[in-house]
Amino acid sequence: DQQVKQNSPSLSVQEGRISILNCDYTNSMFDYFLWYKKYPAEGPTFLISISSIKDKNEDGRFTVFLNKSAKHLSLHIVPSQPGDSAVYFCAASATGNQFYFGTGTSLTVIP
Amino acid sequence: DTGVSQDPRHKITKRGQNVTFRCDPISEHNRLYWYRQTLGQGPEFLTYFQNEAQLEKSRLLSDRFSAERPKGSFSTLEIQRTEQGDSAMYLCASSAWDRELTMRRDGYTFGSGTRLTVV
């Protein structure tokens, strides 16, 4: 039972353009969300978080949007850079203890 | 502090053997988590500790798996009688548990993982 879904396994974007990665969830009790980036042979690296009391959080080139009614969140990267090429995971939690992860979206930023 | 350390990075073992992995969390983090990741999937929660207490275990953690954090610092994950289906990346993460702190940039910090191959 996949409670967090990333329906796009891959995404290619030109350098300098916007990358939009999407994530959907099914559990309405989820109230805290994370985005992670993962390079091959490394553990996931935390990018940005958002709690359900907000609908937007920004950190530099990264912005996460949360639409609670649609149970949808998205990560925007502007401008995209070749170093952003990695697999991106979204994760959600209802308790802050156990996080449920999506299956990831592989982003390729083309120079 | 260099972050979350996991040892070994890679482990190849024969089916039926026991294996043990170690995780050293960030020193000021009181929570430690174990996740498992297989190819094409996101990390799946296994268990977590607050200090030395194991507070939650996933149904994925069969009786062949045991995790300990005896002094509330490093943790070990042991798999007994390994099976080929145990082949995966085992990830450890730590956090400073405080609802407000988890909202900060830190979030969870993951280690680089231990890749287990059972042949």
Side-chain angles (χ1 to χ4, degrees):
Chain A
D1 179 26
Q2 194 75 23
Q3 298 192 52
V4 177
K5 297 177 184 179
Q6 293 176 257
N7 292 318
S8 297
S10 63
L11 175 68
S12 291
V13 171
Q14 286 290 133
E15 181 178 3
R17 305 293 291 270
I18 184 171
S19 295
I20 300 176
L21 297 100
N22 294 304
C23 180
D24 296 292
Y25 60 95
T26 57
N27 189 339
S28 58
M29 299 298 292
F30 287 152
D31 63 354
Y32 190 46
F33 305 87
L34 307 174
W35 280 95
Y36 281 87
K37 177 169 73 173
K38 187 179 184 303
Y39 294 114
E42 295 183 12
T45 303
F46 173 77
L47 273 178
I48 192 167
S49 66
I50 188 166
S51 77
S52 59
I53 62 173
K54 293 186 174 183
D55 54 18
K56 177 182 173 181
N57 190 25
E58 280 183 86
D59 186 356
R61 297 186 297 113
F62 302 92
T63 303
V64 57
F65 295 91
L66 176 62
N67 183 333
K68 292 184 288 294
S69 60
K71 296 192 182 70
H72 177 84
L73 65 156
S74 60
L75 175 69
H76 293 209
I77 306 173
V78 183
S80 301
Q81 299 173 355
D84 296 329
S85 297
V87 179
Y88 289 78
F89 292 96
C90 67
S93 173
T95 61
N97 304 333
Q98 172 181 169
F99 275 85
Y100 294 87
F101 283 76
T103 52
T105 296
S106 179
L107 173 66
T108 301
V109 179
I110 303 164
Chain B
D1 195 347
T2 56
V4 178
S5 299
Q6 290 189 247
D7 183 68
R9 290 293 304 273
H10 304 275
K11 178 71 176 178
I12 300 174
T13 191
K14 291 184 178 179
R15 189 174 52 187
Q17 297 294 305
N18 299 345
V19 293
T20 300
F21 311 139
R22 177 180 170 123
C23 172
D24 288 88
I26 292 174
S27 56
E28 61 266 28
H29 284 181
N30 57 353
R31 284 198 168 182
L32 185 149
Y33 312 80
W34 286 99
Y35 282 80
R36 181 176 71 182
Q37 185 172 18
T38 52
L39 197 63
Q41 300 296 315
E44 296 174 292
F45 172 79
L46 293 178
T47 187
Y48 90 94
F49 294 82
Q50 179 152 323
N51 300 314
E52 65 275 9
Q54 188 172 17
L55 296 187
E56 193 171 338
K57 293 199 299 186
S58 161
R59 58 182 168 78
L60 292 176
L61 214 66
S62 75
D63 56 5
R64 295 185 297 106
F65 288 70
S66 62
E68 293 183 345
R69 194 184 183 196
K71 298 181 180 178
S73 55
F74 73 91
S75 175
T76 57
L77 177 68
E78 181 184 17
I79 309 174
Q80 296 182 327
R81 305 180 303 283
T82 52
E83 301 172 356
Q84 287 187 318
D86 297 331
S87 296
M89 174 76 84
Y90 289 84
L91 293 164
C92 176
S94 69
S95 71
W97 176 246
D98 174 305
R99 188 69 186 179
E100 184 175 343
L101 283 177
T102 60
M103 304 279 187
R104 293 190 336 195
R105 180 164 180 76
D106 305 309
Y108 274 16
T109 302
F110 278 90
S112 297
T114 294
R115 180 167 294 285
L116 173 66
T117 303
V118 181
V119 298

PDB file of all heavy atoms in Angstrom, chain A residues 44-63:
ATOM      1  N   PRO A  44      20.379   9.488   1.219  1.00  0.00           N
ATOM      2  CA  PRO A  44      19.595  10.668   0.852  1.00  0.00           C
ATOM      3  C   PRO A  44      20.076  11.902   1.618  1.00  0.00           C
ATOM      4  O   PRO A  44      20.454  11.811   2.777  1.00  0.00           O
ATOM      5  CB  PRO A  44      18.175  10.293   1.279  1.00  0.00           C
ATOM      6  CG  PRO A  44      18.168   8.801   1.387  1.00  0.00           C
ATOM      7  CD  PRO A  44      19.542   8.421   1.806  1.00  0.00           C
ATOM      8  N   THR A  45      20.024  13.043   0.966  1.00  0.00           N
ATOM      9  CA  THR A  45      20.408  14.316   1.572  1.00  0.00           C
ATOM     10  C   THR A  45      19.171  15.179   1.707  1.00  0.00           C
ATOM     11  O   THR A  45      18.476  15.426   0.720  1.00  0.00           O
ATOM     12  CB  THR A  45      21.450  15.043   0.703  1.00  0.00           C
ATOM     13  OG1 THR A  45      22.577  14.198   0.513  1.00  0.00           O
ATOM     14  CG2 THR A  45      21.894  16.338   1.364  1.00  0.00           C
ATOM     15  N   PHE A  46      18.923  15.649   2.927  1.00  0.00           N
ATOM     16  CA  PHE A  46      17.752  16.468   3.191  1.00  0.00           C
ATOM     17  C   PHE A  46      17.814  17.773   2.405  1.00  0.00           C
ATOM     18  O   PHE A  46      18.845  18.442   2.338  1.00  0.00           O
ATOM     19  CB  PHE A  46      17.686  16.766   4.691  1.00  0.00           C
ATOM     20  CG  PHE A  46      16.621  17.747   5.081  1.00  0.00           C
ATOM     21  CD1 PHE A  46      15.303  17.355   5.138  1.00  0.00           C
ATOM     22  CD2 PHE A  46      16.941  19.052   5.380  1.00  0.00           C
ATOM     23  CE1 PHE A  46      14.314  18.252   5.498  1.00  0.00           C
ATOM     24  CE2 PHE A  46      15.969  19.961   5.748  1.00  0.00           C
ATOM     25  CZ  PHE A  46      14.660  19.564   5.806  1.00  0.00           C
ATOM     26  N   LEU A  47      16.682  18.143   1.786  1.00  0.00           N
ATOM     27  CA  LEU A  47      16.611  19.378   1.013  1.00  0.00           C
ATOM     28  C   LEU A  47      15.763  20.425   1.712  1.00  0.00           C
ATOM     29  O   LEU A  47      16.206  21.531   1.979  1.00  0.00           O
ATOM     30  CB  LEU A  47      15.976  19.092  -0.344  1.00  0.00           C
ATOM     31  CG  LEU A  47      16.874  18.641  -1.481  1.00  0.00           C
ATOM     32  CD1 LEU A  47      16.035  18.373  -2.714  1.00  0.00           C
ATOM     33  CD2 LEU A  47      17.943  19.672  -1.778  1.00  0.00           C
ATOM     34  N   ILE A  48      14.511  20.086   1.952  1.00  0.00           N
ATOM     35  CA  ILE A  48      13.565  21.079   2.446  1.00  0.00           C
ATOM     36  C   ILE A  48      12.377  20.358   3.063  1.00  0.00           C
ATOM     37  O   ILE A  48      12.075  19.218   2.703  1.00  0.00           O
ATOM     38  CB  ILE A  48      13.125  22.010   1.289  1.00  0.00           C
ATOM     39  CG1 ILE A  48      12.371  23.244   1.811  1.00  0.00           C
ATOM     40  CG2 ILE A  48      12.288  21.249   0.257  1.00  0.00           C
ATOM     41  CD1 ILE A  48      12.199  24.327   0.752  1.00  0.00           C
ATOM     42  N   SER A  49      11.739  21.018   4.015  1.00  0.00           N
ATOM     43  CA  SER A  49      10.575  20.414   4.661  1.00  0.00           C
ATOM     44  C   SER A  49       9.413  21.405   4.655  1.00  0.00           C
ATOM     45  O   SER A  49       9.583  22.594   4.396  1.00  0.00           O
ATOM     46  CB  SER A  49      10.907  20.040   6.109  1.00  0.00           C
ATOM     47  OG  SER A  49      11.160  21.208   6.880  1.00  0.00           O
ATOM     48  N   ILE A  50       8.227  20.871   4.940  1.00  0.00           N
ATOM     49  CA  ILE A  50       7.060  21.740   5.109  1.00  0.00           C
ATOM     50  C   ILE A  50       6.095  21.051   6.058  1.00  0.00           C
ATOM     51  O   ILE A  50       5.926  19.826   6.008  1.00  0.00           O
ATOM     52  CB  ILE A  50       6.401  22.068   3.748  1.00  0.00           C
ATOM     53  CG1 ILE A  50       5.314  23.134   3.924  1.00  0.00           C
ATOM     54  CG2 ILE A  50       5.825  20.810   3.099  1.00  0.00           C
ATOM     55  CD1 ILE A  50       4.852  23.747   2.615  1.00  0.00           C
ATOM     56  N   SER A  51       5.485  21.826   6.915  1.00  0.00           N
ATOM     57  CA  SER A  51       4.461  21.266   7.788  1.00  0.00           C
ATOM     58  C   SER A  51       3.091  21.654   7.252  1.00  0.00           C
ATOM     59  O   SER A  51       2.965  22.564   6.430  1.00  0.00           O
ATOM     60  CB  SER A  51       4.606  21.779   9.215  1.00  0.00           C
ATOM     61  OG  SER A  51       4.110  23.089   9.313  1.00  0.00           O
ATOM     62  N   SER A  52       2.074  20.965   7.726  1.00  0.00           N
ATOM     63  CA  SER A  52       0.737  21.162   7.181  1.00  0.00           C
ATOM     64  C   SER A  52       0.133  22.511   7.557  1.00  0.00           C
ATOM     65  O   SER A  52      -0.924  22.877   7.038  1.00  0.00           O
ATOM     66  CB  SER A  52      -0.189  20.034   7.625  1.00  0.00           C
ATOM     67  OG  SER A  52      -0.254  19.981   9.037  1.00  0.00           O
ATOM     68  N   ILE A  53       0.787  23.245   8.444  1.00  0.00           N
ATOM     69  CA  ILE A  53       0.255  24.568   8.789  1.00  0.00           C
ATOM     70  C   ILE A  53       0.665  25.609   7.736  1.00  0.00           C
ATOM     71  O   ILE A  53       0.200  26.746   7.788  1.00  0.00           O
ATOM     72  CB  ILE A  53       0.708  25.017  10.187  1.00  0.00           C
ATOM     73  CG1 ILE A  53       2.232  25.152  10.274  1.00  0.00           C
ATOM     74  CG2 ILE A  53       0.185  24.055  11.247  1.00  0.00           C
ATOM     75  CD1 ILE A  53       2.710  25.755  11.579  1.00  0.00           C
ATOM     76  N   LYS A  54       1.530  25.212   6.821  1.00  0.00           N
ATOM     77  CA  LYS A  54       1.974  26.122   5.763  1.00  0.00           C
ATOM     78  C   LYS A  54       1.555  25.572   4.416  1.00  0.00           C
ATOM     79  O   LYS A  54       1.265  24.372   4.276  1.00  0.00           O
ATOM     80  CB  LYS A  54       3.489  26.258   5.792  1.00  0.00           C
ATOM     81  CG  LYS A  54       4.039  26.957   7.012  1.00  0.00           C
ATOM     82  CD  LYS A  54       5.539  27.165   6.832  1.00  0.00           C
ATOM     83  CE  LYS A  54       6.103  27.985   7.974  1.00  0.00           C
ATOM     84  NZ  LYS A  54       7.554  28.257   7.771  1.00  0.00           N
ATOM     85  N   ASP A  55       1.547  26.425   3.412  1.00  0.00           N
ATOM     86  CA  ASP A  55       1.325  25.930   2.055  1.00  0.00           C
ATOM     87  C   ASP A  55       2.522  26.185   1.140  1.00  0.00           C
ATOM     88  O   ASP A  55       2.527  25.783  -0.017  1.00  0.00           O
ATOM     89  CB  ASP A  55       0.039  26.514   1.446  1.00  0.00           C
ATOM     90  CG  ASP A  55       0.020  28.026   1.493  1.00  0.00           C
ATOM     91  OD1 ASP A  55       1.094  28.637   1.658  1.00  0.00           O
ATOM     92  OD2 ASP A  55      -1.086  28.602   1.378  1.00  0.00           O
ATOM     93  N   LYS A  56       3.545  26.817   1.712  1.00  0.00           N
ATOM     94  CA  LYS A  56       4.734  27.106   0.899  1.00  0.00           C
ATOM     95  C   LYS A  56       5.930  27.276   1.825  1.00  0.00           C
ATOM     96  O   LYS A  56       5.823  27.845   2.914  1.00  0.00           O
ATOM     97  CB  LYS A  56       4.503  28.391   0.102  1.00  0.00           C
ATOM     98  CG  LYS A  56       5.669  28.867  -0.733  1.00  0.00           C
ATOM     99  CD  LYS A  56       5.308  30.182  -1.428  1.00  0.00           C
ATOM    100  CE  LYS A  56       6.499  30.785  -2.140  1.00  0.00           C
ATOM    101  NZ  LYS A  56       6.152  32.081  -2.786  1.00  0.00           N
ATOM    102  N   ASN A  57       7.067  26.767   1.373  1.00  0.00           N
ATOM    103  CA  ASN A  57       8.313  26.995   2.096  1.00  0.00           C
ATOM    104  C   ASN A  57       9.435  27.146   1.076  1.00  0.00           C
ATOM    105  O   ASN A  57       9.537  26.341   0.145  1.00  0.00           O
ATOM    106  CB  ASN A  57       8.611  25.845   3.065  1.00  0.00           C
ATOM    107  CG  ASN A  57       9.757  26.152   4.005  1.00  0.00           C
ATOM    108  OD1 ASN A  57      10.039  27.319   4.280  1.00  0.00           O
ATOM    109  ND2 ASN A  57      10.422  25.126   4.499  1.00  0.00           N
ATOM    110  N   GLU A  58      10.251  28.184   1.276  1.00  0.00           N
ATOM    111  CA  GLU A  58      11.340  28.456   0.330  1.00  0.00           C
ATOM    112  C   GLU A  58      12.692  28.350   1.007  1.00  0.00           C
ATOM    113  O   GLU A  58      12.854  28.740   2.164  1.00  0.00           O
ATOM    114  CB  GLU A  58      11.219  29.897  -0.189  1.00  0.00           C
ATOM    115  CG  GLU A  58      10.209  30.118  -1.267  1.00  0.00           C
ATOM    116  CD  GLU A  58      10.233  31.564  -1.750  1.00  0.00           C
ATOM    117  OE1 GLU A  58      11.041  31.871  -2.643  1.00  0.00           O
ATOM    118  OE2 GLU A  58       9.470  32.365  -1.208  1.00  0.00           O
ATOM    119  N   ASP A  59      13.652  27.867   0.241  1.00  0.00           N
ATOM    120  CA  ASP A  59      15.036  27.843   0.708  1.00  0.00           C
ATOM    121  C   ASP A  59      15.922  27.967  -0.518  1.00  0.00           C
ATOM    122  O   ASP A  59      16.202  26.992  -1.217  1.00  0.00           O
ATOM    123  CB  ASP A  59      15.330  26.541   1.460  1.00  0.00           C
ATOM    124  CG  ASP A  59      16.722  26.548   2.088  1.00  0.00           C
ATOM    125  OD1 ASP A  59      17.483  27.514   1.875  1.00  0.00           O
ATOM    126  OD2 ASP A  59      17.041  25.576   2.798  1.00  0.00           O
ATOM    127  N   GLY A  60      16.333  29.190  -0.787  1.00  0.00           N
ATOM    128  CA  GLY A  60      17.185  29.428  -1.941  1.00  0.00           C
ATOM    129  C   GLY A  60      16.464  29.106  -3.235  1.00  0.00           C
ATOM    130  O   GLY A  60      15.379  29.623  -3.501  1.00  0.00           O
ATOM    131  N   ARG A  61      17.051  28.214  -4.020  1.00  0.00           N
ATOM    132  CA  ARG A  61      16.452  27.858  -5.322  1.00  0.00           C
ATOM    133  C   ARG A  61      15.306  26.856  -5.183  1.00  0.00           C
ATOM    134  O   ARG A  61      14.654  26.518  -6.169  1.00  0.00           O
ATOM    135  CB  ARG A  61      17.537  27.270  -6.232  1.00  0.00           C
ATOM    136  CG  ARG A  61      18.665  28.229  -6.584  1.00  0.00           C
ATOM    137  CD  ARG A  61      19.633  27.631  -7.602  1.00  0.00           C
ATOM    138  NE  ARG A  61      20.310  26.452  -7.090  1.00  0.00           N
ATOM    139  CZ  ARG A  61      20.125  25.217  -7.554  1.00  0.00           C
ATOM    140  NH1 ARG A  61      19.281  24.995  -8.552  1.00  0.00           N
ATOM    141  NH2 ARG A  61      20.799  24.203  -7.039  1.00  0.00           N
ATOM    142  N   PHE A  62      15.099  26.360  -3.981  1.00  0.00           N
ATOM    143  CA  PHE A  62      14.112  25.304  -3.756  1.00  0.00           C
ATOM    144  C   PHE A  62      12.876  25.851  -3.047  1.00  0.00           C
ATOM    145  O   PHE A  62      12.981  26.548  -2.044  1.00  0.00           O
ATOM    146  CB  PHE A  62      14.724  24.179  -2.903  1.00  0.00           C
ATOM    147  CG  PHE A  62      15.945  23.549  -3.508  1.00  0.00           C
ATOM    148  CD1 PHE A  62      17.212  24.025  -3.214  1.00  0.00           C
ATOM    149  CD2 PHE A  62      15.817  22.495  -4.401  1.00  0.00           C
ATOM    150  CE1 PHE A  62      18.335  23.447  -3.789  1.00  0.00           C
ATOM    151  CE2 PHE A  62      16.940  21.919  -4.985  1.00  0.00           C
ATOM    152  CZ  PHE A  62      18.195  22.394  -4.672  1.00  0.00           C
ATOM    153  N   THR A  63      11.714  25.527  -3.604  1.00  0.00           N
ATOM    154  CA  THR A  63      10.444  25.903  -2.988  1.00  0.00           C
ATOM    155  C   THR A  63       9.542  24.680  -2.977  1.00  0.00           C
ATOM    156  O   THR A  63       9.420  23.989  -3.994  1.00  0.00           O
ATOM    157  CB  THR A  63       9.747  27.033  -3.764  1.00  0.00           C
ATOM    158  OG1 THR A  63      10.622  28.153  -3.841  1.00  0.00           O
ATOM    159  CG2 THR A  63       8.452  27.447  -3.069  1.00  0.00           C
TER     160      THR A  63
END
